[in-house]
Amino acid sequence: MTLESRQQKHNRPEEVAQAVQVLRRGGVVGYPSETVWGLAALPTSRTAVERLYALKGREASKPVQLSCLNMQRARGWLRPGQDELERLEVFWPGPLTVLAWATETCPAWLAPGGVVGLRIPAHPVIQALLAAAGGTLATTSLNPSGLAAASNQEQARAYGLADLLLSADGDDASTAQWTSAAPVSSKSVSSGVASTVFDLRTRQVLRLGA
């Protein structure tokens, strides 16, 4: 099954539309990925991104990750002249985060110090959300800083960081979980292993992950 067909299978319009409305109101959405669970906010809203930092307790000097729908979206955040990124395209969509110099038009709240983190996730739920929300989201792992990232839906809900927590279940459109209500399914396809982080500027692996 191709990524496109999996995205269509898991693309629950009502749930995704609800999540997009939360994002547009400046909210934060929790979602499953193929690695660990994540938190997402609209990158065009400084207030939303700052809230993402505050919820997680993340240091302001650390860039958030920009999760992108495809390579075209990812390239749009890069300063020209970093053609080496094309050599890493074979690993996307997938569990690889690349640090690189951001384009000069990239807001400082997304790229502190001029550095941006890019990823193209493979999980069909976040792919569907990205497609509906404009192609790029400011994201980070779903956990308070210093604690382990949520690797399943129960852990994600227990942290209570998201305004809306998307379901990990593939085919049931009724299983979107508000963090304050409803039982949570135990199903999850997340590996629990964070993505590998590669610094394109120094050619160094900063974290060896999935």
Side-chain angles (χ1 to χ4, degrees):
M1 184 181 293
T2 66
L3 176 62
E4 181 179 1
S5 62
R6 285 190 290 116
Q7 179 178 319
Q8 292 172 348
K9 179 180 178 181
H10 291 258
N11 186 354
R12 293 149 292 177
E14 292 182 3
E15 180 178 351
V16 172
Q18 187 179 30
V20 171
Q21 289 302 312
V22 170
L23 291 169
R24 288 176 177 170
R25 294 196 299 265
V28 172
V29 170
Y31 64 90
S33 80
E34 71 275 20
T35 55
V36 297
W37 281 65
L39 290 170
L42 284 182
T44 52
S45 170
R46 181 171 185 170
T47 301
V49 174
E50 288 177 346
R51 184 163 180 267
L52 184 67
Y53 271 88
L55 284 170
K56 186 180 174 71
R58 188 175 181 83
E59 295 179 20
S61 61
K62 294 183 177 180
V64 291
Q65 178 177 274
L66 291 179
S67 290
C68 301
L69 181 63
N70 50 41
M71 193 67 178
Q72 180 181 1
R73 293 287 184 179
R75 288 192 200 101
W77 296 99
L78 282 180
R79 184 183 301 176
Q82 299 178 96
D83 299 333
E84 299 92 336
L85 183 67
E86 304 296 332
R87 299 173 63 184
L88 301 174
E89 188 174 1
V90 66
F91 299 109
W92 278 339
L96 173 68
T97 299
V98 177
L99 297 183
W101 293 115
T103 177
E104 293 182 0
T105 59
C106 183
W109 67 83
L110 296 177
V115 179
V116 67
L118 297 171
R119 183 172 167 215
I120 303 176
H123 195 288
V125 172
I126 182 58
Q127 279 277 326
L129 183 60
L130 284 165
T136 303
L137 289 169
T139 62
T140 185
S141 58
L142 198 162
N143 60 284
S145 290
L147 298 182
S151 59
N152 57 53
Q153 195 159 317
E154 289 86 350
Q155 293 173 3
R157 184 169 184 258
Y159 277 140
L161 299 180
D163 298 310
L164 173 66
L165 189 66
L166 289 172
S167 172
D169 296 333
D171 302 308
D172 185 355
S174 67
T175 55
Q177 304 296 335
W178 288 94
T179 55
S180 59
V184 180
S185 168
S186 61
K187 291 183 180 180
S188 173
V189 296
S190 300
S191 71
V193 180
S195 64
T196 290
V197 178
F198 180 75
D199 193 328
L200 191 65
R201 303 164 303 159
T202 63
R203 313 297 198 275
Q204 291 182 325
V205 174
L206 303 184
R207 181 178 71 199
L208 188 59

